[in-house]
Amino acid sequence: MSAQHTHDAQHAHGHDDHHHGDEGPHSSLREYAIGFVLSVILTAIPFWLVMAKVIADRNTAVLVLGGFAVVQILVHMVYFLHMNGKVEGGWTLLSTIFTVVFVAIAISGTLWVMFHMNANMMPAHPTPTPPVHEASPGHSTP
């Protein structure tokens, strides 16, 4: 059996030593260091904002801190979980996007239902006044 025949037989049966399209994460120490530094910065800035009471308005503070949290999640996904459009043909990224959308719908729907349940299901009832007992003419009260 010649080498050419063996090579052709491997291809015919699907036994190929090459891994086509296997574009797994190729990480380097530099990428991990960049991710670590960005994570530290994205943790230190919100910590400083809260401890120094830089933002007085609570709603603004929640939005700013939430923005930092989202950016930090993206940094972790890119630098530590190695998620991008190339890994596994983009299915990992697509499934993550689906999960984020699903969780956002679930959380917003839950909050919407809870708010409306509180506002619509618990109407303010007038408090009944206690009955006043009048003394009858033949009885004396001590």
Side-chain angles (χ1 to χ4, degrees):
M1 207 181 209
S2 70
Q4 180 64 29
H5 180 67
T6 304
H7 182 70
D8 291 339
Q10 285 178 344
H11 282 287
H13 294 289
H15 301 291
D16 191 5
D17 292 332
H18 304 313
H19 298 286
H20 298 290
D22 185 20
E23 307 219 358
H26 296 108
S27 303
S28 67
L29 183 60
R30 180 178 180 269
E31 288 183 16
Y32 283 121
I34 290 170
F36 177 73
V37 169
L38 287 174
S39 295
V40 168
I41 291 170
L42 291 170
T43 301
I45 291 174
F47 182 79
W48 172 74
L49 289 172
V50 170
M51 295 305 291
K53 297 181 178 159
V54 174
I55 303 173
D57 183 41
R58 181 182 170 139
N59 291 335
T60 305
V62 168
L63 289 175
V64 169
L65 295 176
F68 274 103
V70 168
V71 171
Q72 190 167 36
I73 289 170
L74 294 174
V75 165
H76 283 239
M77 288 172 60
V78 170
Y79 286 100
F80 299 121
L81 298 177
H82 313 293
M83 295 182 74
N84 57 31
K86 298 176 200 165
V87 176
E88 295 182 18
W91 285 108
T92 305
L93 184 63
L94 188 63
S95 64
T96 302
I97 292 170
F98 172 77
T99 303
V100 167
V101 169
F102 181 78
V103 168
I105 290 171
I107 289 173
S108 61
T110 301
L111 292 174
W112 181 76
V113 166
M114 288 171 40
F115 173 77
H116 281 78
M117 184 173 65
N118 186 33
N120 296 328
M121 298 297 286
M122 302 299 284
H125 296 292
T127 306
T129 57
V132 178
H133 297 291
E134 295 181 16
S136 45
H139 298 92
S140 63
T141 56

